[in-house]
Amino acid sequence: MKIKLCVCILLSGILLGCGTVADKTFSKVTIDGPYKYKVDSVMKLMTLDEKIGQMNQYSSDVSATGVMTADNTKLQQIEEGKVGSMLNVVGALNTRKYQEAAMKSRLHIPLIFGLDVIHGMVTNYPIPLAEAASFDLDLMRRTAAGAAKEASSMGIHWTFAPMVDVSRDARWGRSMEGAGEDTWYGCQVAKARVSGFQGKSLYDKNTILACAKHFAAYGACIAGKDYNTVDMSRLELQNVYLPPFKAACDAGVATFMNAFNDFDGVPATANTYLQRTIQKGLWHFSGFTVSDWGSIGQMIAHGYAADMKDAGCKAISGGCDMDMESRAYLSYMKELIKEKKVKEKYVDDAVRRILLKKFELGLFDDPYRYCDEQNEKKTVLSGELRNLSREAGKKSIVLLKNTNHVLPLSNPTSIALVGPLCKSKDDMRGGWFGIGTIDGVVTINEGLKKKFPYAQVNYAEGYDINTNELKEDSALLAAKKSDVVIVCVGERIFQSGENRSKAHIDLPSTQQQLVKDLKSTGKKVIVLLCGGRPLIFNELTPSADAILMTWWLGTEAGNAIADVVSGDYNPSAKLPITFPFTVGQCPIYYNYKSTGHPAKDGAPYTTGYMDQTFQPAYPFGFGLSYTTFDISAPVTDKIQYKMNEPINCKVKITNTGNRIGKETVQLYIKDKVASITRPIKELKGFQQVQLNPGETKEVVLVLNSSDLGFFNGEGQYIVEPGNFDIMVGNSSQNLKGITINLRKE
Ligand code: GLC
């Protein structure tokens, strides 16, 4: 009997397909207010085919960002109501063409147009990792708002940003798209960027839907290999990788995009735990989730789906509402419902979520409201947006070294400008540049010449931009006849981003040799580092008098760099991601755990390496200024605190140098004893302070006991009583602290 019963249950599981597995976690979206009736009224009119059509998304053939499926019937399918969204269609005119096709469908349901507006549309801002270095949340909100203004003027309703993946491994090429390695800071940046893209109302024509991606833990790919397996405890997921997504959700993010990787052995695209239990359930997410490009179909390669039909079944059951470029839903959803492998309520929920966003955008009122050519002409690459790009650029540059104040340069008579990147427009945009055109870009050469109009700029290539082969004769000549050398080295634009993982992140040895040879001329050498990830450049460091991490700064790169080199802007940025000393240290991050053998160079039986230091080249939070600051130890009003009592940390900062400057005072905590092992320190606050020479200011960084908590093994967020170190300083490694005690009651 038992055996029969067991087989029956098993069969019923198979017969009813993947839908029933997730049923207990199903939570229908709740729509309140005026849109509830509107969504319901459209739903009532829709056939099952039309509902499924809303869940189908195609890319235009013009600028595909993934592997395309040849299909020249997309416009016809749109007219037949088989498409709910298009991506990579750009321009007021072009989007109008597609929207007109949608208006020919039976119910005239408008399309929603998506695009990767990651750091600007046509006007490029610094790559997100660079902007994160600014530690200026309002700036990041404003650049997101600027990007939304420009994108919406070109018919775009939806950006696939912010990427909120925590990334701790410099080998992974997509670190460039996010806010770096810190969870708490990642939450702040997620909130800032969502509010920038979405503004106060999605009905506003200058705002667009944001998209928190890639849900979830995509940045934890093993060995830094893009798309690779993610294997961690749910404890690690909840304490490190989920919080920025939750922050985006709490900030009202309109959509999520799931991830290519698996978690707990289940591809994120079909992961019920992630998408239904947590996102739609625990977090009450009311938007919709789109797959990543082809990620539904890729579950066959994962070995998780037998075929596209099985993949579609598992994806919708797992909480994926829209299918980007797999065609699984369009091809099989109706059959799956007929075979009772998928319950129609899953489709209804997904479609309600999608329609709600179309109503919120005002597309049912006027499908063409974003197809305004005049608005496009006056918005794209406007002076306002260019100025914003320049502001963001100069605030994102990190000063890593400045021996004997060689920077800033004041009225040089001659500059040897070396390196092909100095004249590259293409590279300055950085990866995921949207439709950023190169003709608008200000190169480093152009920026410096404009900044120093009376200086003789002696340009020399120094090395081949493609082969890195040295071409230094002219460079050495230029150096010998100039007061100072500015040499730009680093990666190329296409060496970071998606599908750009690298096993070696050292700068090419020829580039580093070039810097050494330039130094041998006896001149001061200023190094500009370009790239979309932490780089390793130990060989050139001793020869560099100054080093600036200039990332990829976008359209106004040349002007932003010139503003910093000249001292018109005193660099204030801090590293949002650790720069390793060697790639063998990866993944490396500041908030590691103590272990039972705490790391200590030179000491035996400690967590580290026998052949080199465990310390990074440059730590999280590090960045110099042209002036100096003194930061006091924190002073709290008492030592004993009760739960939910604010902990006011007073800190005095003094500008001990001779130039106005801005310091980012960082606040870290350490939970000294807890029911699970905790990091040796965690960033929990920061404040930027502008000071005149000799000026002192006191700032108050406020902590609450909730900042001292963590997720326990049961997935609950708890705050335990006990002792906590409260530390402040100008980087994760230069801190002064006190200990406070948190009591239970
Ligand atoms: C890509 C990326 C994703 C992007 C999408 C659409 O594969 O993983 O971040 O938004 O496809 O371009």
Side-chain angles (χ1 to χ4, degrees), residues 47-50 52 309 328-342 344 347:
T47 65
L48 178 56
D49 284 323
E50 287 164 335
I52 293 167
K309 180 177 174 182
Y329 289 0
L330 194 66
S331 310
Y332 300 104
M333 192 62 73
K334 192 169 185 179
E335 208 176 304
L336 288 163
I337 290 170
K338 199 162 151 237
E339 295 166 3
K340 299 194 182 313
K341 290 182 177 173
V342 169
E344 191 162 351
V347 169

PDB file of all heavy atoms in Angstrom, residues 47-50 52 309 328-342 344 347:
ATOM      1  N   THR A  47      -7.795  37.601 -23.595  1.00  0.00           N
ATOM      2  CA  THR A  47      -7.759  36.150 -23.802  1.00  0.00           C
ATOM      3  C   THR A  47      -6.471  35.623 -23.170  1.00  0.00           C
ATOM      4  O   THR A  47      -5.558  36.406 -22.875  1.00  0.00           O
ATOM      5  CB  THR A  47      -7.709  35.844 -25.312  1.00  0.00           C
ATOM      6  OG1 THR A  47      -6.449  36.351 -25.811  1.00  0.00           O
ATOM      7  CG2 THR A  47      -8.882  36.472 -26.053  1.00  0.00           C
ATOM      8  N   LEU A  48      -6.384  34.316 -23.024  1.00  0.00           N
ATOM      9  CA  LEU A  48      -5.163  33.722 -22.471  1.00  0.00           C
ATOM     10  C   LEU A  48      -3.980  34.048 -23.372  1.00  0.00           C
ATOM     11  O   LEU A  48      -2.900  34.397 -22.900  1.00  0.00           O
ATOM     12  CB  LEU A  48      -5.321  32.208 -22.305  1.00  0.00           C
ATOM     13  CG  LEU A  48      -4.090  31.450 -21.775  1.00  0.00           C
ATOM     14  CD1 LEU A  48      -3.628  32.025 -20.436  1.00  0.00           C
ATOM     15  CD2 LEU A  48      -4.399  29.956 -21.634  1.00  0.00           C
ATOM     16  N   ASP A  49      -4.174  34.001 -24.683  1.00  0.00           N
ATOM     17  CA  ASP A  49      -3.072  34.331 -25.609  1.00  0.00           C
ATOM     18  C   ASP A  49      -2.576  35.750 -25.374  1.00  0.00           C
ATOM     19  O   ASP A  49      -1.376  36.026 -25.362  1.00  0.00           O
ATOM     20  CB  ASP A  49      -3.555  34.195 -27.065  1.00  0.00           C
ATOM     21  CG  ASP A  49      -3.656  32.724 -27.485  1.00  0.00           C
ATOM     22  OD1 ASP A  49      -2.778  31.939 -27.045  1.00  0.00           O
ATOM     23  OD2 ASP A  49      -4.613  32.367 -28.194  1.00  0.00           O
ATOM     24  N   GLU A  50      -3.517  36.668 -25.187  1.00  0.00           N
ATOM     25  CA  GLU A  50      -3.126  38.068 -24.984  1.00  0.00           C
ATOM     26  C   GLU A  50      -2.404  38.242 -23.648  1.00  0.00           C
ATOM     27  O   GLU A  50      -1.465  39.021 -23.539  1.00  0.00           O
ATOM     28  CB  GLU A  50      -4.359  38.971 -25.078  1.00  0.00           C
ATOM     29  CG  GLU A  50      -4.866  39.120 -26.509  1.00  0.00           C
ATOM     30  CD  GLU A  50      -6.277  39.669 -26.592  1.00  0.00           C
ATOM     31  OE1 GLU A  50      -7.045  39.495 -25.619  1.00  0.00           O
ATOM     32  OE2 GLU A  50      -6.615  40.263 -27.626  1.00  0.00           O
ATOM     33  N   ILE A  52      -0.549  35.948 -22.199  1.00  0.00           N
ATOM     34  CA  ILE A  52       0.800  35.383 -22.407  1.00  0.00           C
ATOM     35  C   ILE A  52       1.659  36.346 -23.226  1.00  0.00           C
ATOM     36  O   ILE A  52       2.844  36.525 -22.959  1.00  0.00           O
ATOM     37  CB  ILE A  52       0.699  34.010 -23.093  1.00  0.00           C
ATOM     38  CG1 ILE A  52       0.031  32.997 -22.151  1.00  0.00           C
ATOM     39  CG2 ILE A  52       2.071  33.506 -23.541  1.00  0.00           C
ATOM     40  CD1 ILE A  52      -0.404  31.707 -22.824  1.00  0.00           C
ATOM     41  N   LYS A 309       9.931  23.913 -22.894  1.00  0.00           N
ATOM     42  CA  LYS A 309       8.609  23.859 -22.243  1.00  0.00           C
ATOM     43  C   LYS A 309       8.763  23.658 -20.736  1.00  0.00           C
ATOM     44  O   LYS A 309       8.142  24.371 -19.931  1.00  0.00           O
ATOM     45  CB  LYS A 309       7.791  22.722 -22.847  1.00  0.00           C
ATOM     46  CG  LYS A 309       6.408  22.554 -22.253  1.00  0.00           C
ATOM     47  CD  LYS A 309       5.658  21.446 -22.977  1.00  0.00           C
ATOM     48  CE  LYS A 309       4.320  21.140 -22.332  1.00  0.00           C
ATOM     49  NZ  LYS A 309       3.623  20.024 -23.023  1.00  0.00           N
ATOM     50  N   ALA A 328       9.954  31.120 -24.389  1.00  0.00           N
ATOM     51  CA  ALA A 328       9.395  29.938 -23.715  1.00  0.00           C
ATOM     52  C   ALA A 328       7.926  30.153 -23.389  1.00  0.00           C
ATOM     53  O   ALA A 328       7.085  29.269 -23.608  1.00  0.00           O
ATOM     54  CB  ALA A 328      10.189  29.669 -22.437  1.00  0.00           C
ATOM     55  N   TYR A 329       7.618  31.323 -22.873  1.00  0.00           N
ATOM     56  CA  TYR A 329       6.220  31.589 -22.473  1.00  0.00           C
ATOM     57  C   TYR A 329       5.326  31.630 -23.694  1.00  0.00           C
ATOM     58  O   TYR A 329       4.246  31.036 -23.715  1.00  0.00           O
ATOM     59  CB  TYR A 329       6.140  32.900 -21.698  1.00  0.00           C
ATOM     60  CG  TYR A 329       6.738  32.868 -20.312  1.00  0.00           C
ATOM     61  CD1 TYR A 329       7.315  31.712 -19.781  1.00  0.00           C
ATOM     62  CD2 TYR A 329       6.742  33.993 -19.503  1.00  0.00           C
ATOM     63  CE1 TYR A 329       7.862  31.690 -18.512  1.00  0.00           C
ATOM     64  CE2 TYR A 329       7.283  33.987 -18.223  1.00  0.00           C
ATOM     65  CZ  TYR A 329       7.840  32.833 -17.740  1.00  0.00           C
ATOM     66  OH  TYR A 329       8.379  32.800 -16.473  1.00  0.00           O
ATOM     67  N   LEU A 330       5.776  32.326 -24.725  1.00  0.00           N
ATOM     68  CA  LEU A 330       4.946  32.461 -25.927  1.00  0.00           C
ATOM     69  C   LEU A 330       4.682  31.092 -26.541  1.00  0.00           C
ATOM     70  O   LEU A 330       3.603  30.792 -27.019  1.00  0.00           O
ATOM     71  CB  LEU A 330       5.650  33.355 -26.936  1.00  0.00           C
ATOM     72  CG  LEU A 330       4.783  33.874 -28.087  1.00  0.00           C
ATOM     73  CD1 LEU A 330       3.708  34.820 -27.548  1.00  0.00           C
ATOM     74  CD2 LEU A 330       5.646  34.597 -29.125  1.00  0.00           C
ATOM     75  N   SER A 331       5.710  30.248 -26.509  1.00  0.00           N
ATOM     76  CA  SER A 331       5.617  28.952 -27.200  1.00  0.00           C
ATOM     77  C   SER A 331       4.840  27.912 -26.410  1.00  0.00           C
ATOM     78  O   SER A 331       4.158  27.073 -26.992  1.00  0.00           O
ATOM     79  CB  SER A 331       7.022  28.410 -27.483  1.00  0.00           C
ATOM     80  OG  SER A 331       7.810  29.414 -28.114  1.00  0.00           O
ATOM     81  N   TYR A 332       4.933  27.917 -25.078  1.00  0.00           N
ATOM     82  CA  TYR A 332       4.416  26.764 -24.341  1.00  0.00           C
ATOM     83  C   TYR A 332       3.434  27.074 -23.213  1.00  0.00           C
ATOM     84  O   TYR A 332       2.838  26.157 -22.646  1.00  0.00           O
ATOM     85  CB  TYR A 332       5.591  25.963 -23.765  1.00  0.00           C
ATOM     86  CG  TYR A 332       6.533  25.447 -24.818  1.00  0.00           C
ATOM     87  CD1 TYR A 332       7.771  26.049 -25.046  1.00  0.00           C
ATOM     88  CD2 TYR A 332       6.152  24.388 -25.640  1.00  0.00           C
ATOM     89  CE1 TYR A 332       8.614  25.595 -26.035  1.00  0.00           C
ATOM     90  CE2 TYR A 332       6.986  23.927 -26.644  1.00  0.00           C
ATOM     91  CZ  TYR A 332       8.222  24.536 -26.834  1.00  0.00           C
ATOM     92  OH  TYR A 332       9.054  24.089 -27.841  1.00  0.00           O
ATOM     93  N   MET A 333       3.267  28.328 -22.828  1.00  0.00           N
ATOM     94  CA  MET A 333       2.467  28.605 -21.644  1.00  0.00           C
ATOM     95  C   MET A 333       1.026  28.098 -21.802  1.00  0.00           C
ATOM     96  O   MET A 333       0.471  27.498 -20.873  1.00  0.00           O
ATOM     97  CB  MET A 333       2.458  30.096 -21.328  1.00  0.00           C
ATOM     98  CG  MET A 333       1.895  30.439 -19.964  1.00  0.00           C
ATOM     99  SD  MET A 333       2.861  29.733 -18.613  1.00  0.00           S
ATOM    100  CE  MET A 333       4.308  30.782 -18.675  1.00  0.00           C
ATOM    101  N   LYS A 334       0.448  28.306 -22.957  1.00  0.00           N
ATOM    102  CA  LYS A 334      -0.959  27.904 -23.148  1.00  0.00           C
ATOM    103  C   LYS A 334      -1.111  26.387 -22.976  1.00  0.00           C
ATOM    104  O   LYS A 334      -2.011  25.894 -22.281  1.00  0.00           O
ATOM    105  CB  LYS A 334      -1.423  28.334 -24.534  1.00  0.00           C
ATOM    106  CG  LYS A 334      -2.921  28.230 -24.735  1.00  0.00           C
ATOM    107  CD  LYS A 334      -3.351  28.903 -26.007  1.00  0.00           C
ATOM    108  CE  LYS A 334      -4.877  28.899 -26.141  1.00  0.00           C
ATOM    109  NZ  LYS A 334      -5.311  29.586 -27.379  1.00  0.00           N
ATOM    110  N   GLU A 335      -0.147  25.662 -23.536  1.00  0.00           N
ATOM    111  CA  GLU A 335      -0.128  24.191 -23.450  1.00  0.00           C
ATOM    112  C   GLU A 335       0.040  23.766 -21.995  1.00  0.00           C
ATOM    113  O   GLU A 335      -0.647  22.871 -21.494  1.00  0.00           O
ATOM    114  CB  GLU A 335       1.079  23.721 -24.260  1.00  0.00           C
ATOM    115  CG  GLU A 335       1.011  22.360 -24.893  1.00  0.00           C
ATOM    116  CD  GLU A 335       2.285  22.131 -25.737  1.00  0.00           C
ATOM    117  OE1 GLU A 335       2.562  22.951 -26.636  1.00  0.00           O
ATOM    118  OE2 GLU A 335       3.009  21.169 -25.404  1.00  0.00           O
ATOM    119  N   LEU A 336       0.932  24.431 -21.284  1.00  0.00           N
ATOM    120  CA  LEU A 336       1.212  24.078 -19.888  1.00  0.00           C
ATOM    121  C   LEU A 336      -0.025  24.272 -19.029  1.00  0.00           C
ATOM    122  O   LEU A 336      -0.317  23.486 -18.132  1.00  0.00           O
ATOM    123  CB  LEU A 336       2.374  24.924 -19.354  1.00  0.00           C
ATOM    124  CG  LEU A 336       3.758  24.565 -19.894  1.00  0.00           C
ATOM    125  CD1 LEU A 336       4.746  25.705 -19.648  1.00  0.00           C
ATOM    126  CD2 LEU A 336       4.273  23.270 -19.259  1.00  0.00           C
ATOM    127  N   ILE A 337      -0.779  25.328 -19.331  1.00  0.00           N
ATOM    128  CA  ILE A 337      -2.002  25.574 -18.567  1.00  0.00           C
ATOM    129  C   ILE A 337      -3.047  24.516 -18.909  1.00  0.00           C
ATOM    130  O   ILE A 337      -3.693  23.940 -18.040  1.00  0.00           O
ATOM    131  CB  ILE A 337      -2.520  27.004 -18.833  1.00  0.00           C
ATOM    132  CG1 ILE A 337      -1.560  28.006 -18.174  1.00  0.00           C
ATOM    133  CG2 ILE A 337      -3.939  27.196 -18.303  1.00  0.00           C
ATOM    134  CD1 ILE A 337      -1.808  29.443 -18.537  1.00  0.00           C
ATOM    135  N   LYS A 338      -3.123  24.234 -20.192  1.00  0.00           N
ATOM    136  CA  LYS A 338      -4.113  23.215 -20.648  1.00  0.00           C
ATOM    137  C   LYS A 338      -3.803  21.868 -19.988  1.00  0.00           C
ATOM    138  O   LYS A 338      -4.690  21.148 -19.563  1.00  0.00           O
ATOM    139  CB  LYS A 338      -4.019  23.089 -22.178  1.00  0.00           C
ATOM    140  CG  LYS A 338      -5.224  22.452 -22.844  1.00  0.00           C
ATOM    141  CD  LYS A 338      -5.264  22.770 -24.362  1.00  0.00           C
ATOM    142  CE  LYS A 338      -5.960  21.613 -25.103  1.00  0.00           C
ATOM    143  NZ  LYS A 338      -5.096  21.027 -26.157  1.00  0.00           N
ATOM    144  N   GLU A 339      -2.522  21.558 -19.873  1.00  0.00           N
ATOM    145  CA  GLU A 339      -2.114  20.281 -19.262  1.00  0.00           C
ATOM    146  C   GLU A 339      -2.105  20.360 -17.745  1.00  0.00           C
ATOM    147  O   GLU A 339      -1.626  19.478 -17.057  1.00  0.00           O
ATOM    148  CB  GLU A 339      -0.732  19.874 -19.781  1.00  0.00           C
ATOM    149  CG  GLU A 339      -0.688  19.568 -21.277  1.00  0.00           C
ATOM    150  CD  GLU A 339       0.738  19.514 -21.788  1.00  0.00           C
ATOM    151  OE1 GLU A 339       1.695  19.651 -20.960  1.00  0.00           O
ATOM    152  OE2 GLU A 339       0.929  19.348 -23.008  1.00  0.00           O
ATOM    153  N   LYS A 340      -2.541  21.516 -17.207  1.00  0.00           N
ATOM    154  CA  LYS A 340      -2.596  21.736 -15.745  1.00  0.00           C
ATOM    155  C   LYS A 340      -1.231  21.608 -15.087  1.00  0.00           C
ATOM    156  O   LYS A 340      -1.103  21.249 -13.920  1.00  0.00           O
ATOM    157  CB  LYS A 340      -3.597  20.773 -15.091  1.00  0.00           C
ATOM    158  CG  LYS A 340      -5.044  20.949 -15.587  1.00  0.00           C
ATOM    159  CD  LYS A 340      -6.031  20.240 -14.683  1.00  0.00           C
ATOM    160  CE  LYS A 340      -7.453  20.379 -15.223  1.00  0.00           C
ATOM    161  NZ  LYS A 340      -7.797  21.767 -15.613  1.00  0.00           N
ATOM    162  N   LYS A 341      -0.184  21.866 -15.870  1.00  0.00           N
ATOM    163  CA  LYS A 341       1.163  21.875 -15.262  1.00  0.00           C
ATOM    164  C   LYS A 341       1.453  23.252 -14.669  1.00  0.00           C
ATOM    165  O   LYS A 341       2.331  23.424 -13.869  1.00  0.00           O
ATOM    166  CB  LYS A 341       2.211  21.511 -16.313  1.00  0.00           C
ATOM    167  CG  LYS A 341       2.122  20.050 -16.736  1.00  0.00           C
ATOM    168  CD  LYS A 341       3.187  19.690 -17.733  1.00  0.00           C
ATOM    169  CE  LYS A 341       3.105  18.199 -18.072  1.00  0.00           C
ATOM    170  NZ  LYS A 341       4.037  17.854 -19.167  1.00  0.00           N
ATOM    171  N   VAL A 342       0.729  24.242 -15.152  1.00  0.00           N
ATOM    172  CA  VAL A 342       0.859  25.591 -14.602  1.00  0.00           C
ATOM    173  C   VAL A 342      -0.544  26.117 -14.341  1.00  0.00           C
ATOM    174  O   VAL A 342      -1.436  25.952 -15.173  1.00  0.00           O
ATOM    175  CB  VAL A 342       1.588  26.538 -15.581  1.00  0.00           C
ATOM    176  CG1 VAL A 342       1.496  27.980 -15.126  1.00  0.00           C
ATOM    177  CG2 VAL A 342       3.053  26.144 -15.737  1.00  0.00           C
ATOM    178  N   GLU A 344      -3.338  28.970 -14.114  1.00  0.00           N
ATOM    179  CA  GLU A 344      -3.521  30.253 -14.793  1.00  0.00           C
ATOM    180  C   GLU A 344      -3.336  31.425 -13.829  1.00  0.00           C
ATOM    181  O   GLU A 344      -2.952  32.513 -14.229  1.00  0.00           O
ATOM    182  CB  GLU A 344      -4.889  30.318 -15.467  1.00  0.00           C
ATOM    183  CG  GLU A 344      -5.019  31.522 -16.396  1.00  0.00           C
ATOM    184  CD  GLU A 344      -6.145  31.398 -17.399  1.00  0.00           C
ATOM    185  OE1 GLU A 344      -6.743  30.304 -17.512  1.00  0.00           O
ATOM    186  OE2 GLU A 344      -6.406  32.410 -18.092  1.00  0.00           O
ATOM    187  N   VAL A 347      -0.095  33.132 -14.301  1.00  0.00           N
ATOM    188  CA  VAL A 347      -0.082  34.034 -15.456  1.00  0.00           C
ATOM    189  C   VAL A 347      -0.845  35.304 -15.125  1.00  0.00           C
ATOM    190  O   VAL A 347      -0.359  36.411 -15.361  1.00  0.00           O
ATOM    191  CB  VAL A 347      -0.700  33.328 -16.680  1.00  0.00           C
ATOM    192  CG1 VAL A 347      -0.952  34.306 -17.810  1.00  0.00           C
ATOM    193  CG2 VAL A 347       0.192  32.185 -17.137  1.00  0.00           C
TER     194      VAL A 347
END
